[in-house]
Amino acid sequence: MKKEVLIGVLIGLIANVFGLFLAATLLGQGDDFMNVIKAASNEGFLGKLISLGAILNLIAFFIFIKKRQDYRARGVLLITVFIAVFTFVFKLF
């Protein structure tokens, strides 16, 4: 059971990182990934970019639900909630 939740957490992290990279590439207008991240941080919308990256977690979550892999879906949901809290705290400071 713990192994399945951990797999879900890892897949959620990978999906979020890939989604962040995809969002930065698409919205960065051809700039380098690190330049987009630095500009987003300087301009105050890095939290929004991270939240856009978390959209891919929805796909992973629903795939696990459809396959009846509830513990993996729980891991993806757990990391999605963690990212939401992190983004909220990041915006406060």
Side-chain angles (χ1 to χ4, degrees), residues 16-28:
N16 193 24
V17 169
F18 183 70
L20 175 63
F21 180 75
L22 189 65
T25 302
L26 292 175
L27 299 175

Side-chain angles (χ1 to χ4, degrees), residues 10-86:
L10 290 175
I11 289 175
L13 279 173
I14 291 168
N16 193 24
V17 169
F18 183 70
L20 175 63
F21 180 75
L22 189 65
T25 302
L26 292 175
L27 299 175
Q29 300 171 350
D31 289 339
D32 183 34
F33 175 72
M34 289 307 294
N35 290 338
V36 172
I37 297 298
K38 288 177 187 175
S41 178
N42 290 338
E43 295 175 17
F45 66 90
L46 183 60
K48 293 176 185 177
L49 202 58
I50 293 171
S51 297
L52 277 175
I55 290 176
L56 289 183
N57 286 355
L58 281 172
I59 297 169
F61 178 76
F62 285 117
I63 288 172
F64 288 142
I65 291 293
K66 186 165 178 79
K67 289 184 174 184
R68 300 196 184 272
Q69 295 175 339
D70 295 334
Y71 289 110
R72 289 185 183 189
R74 187 180 294 179
V76 172
L77 185 63
L78 184 70
I79 200 67
T80 304
V81 169
F82 175 76
I83 290 168
V85 170
F86 173 77

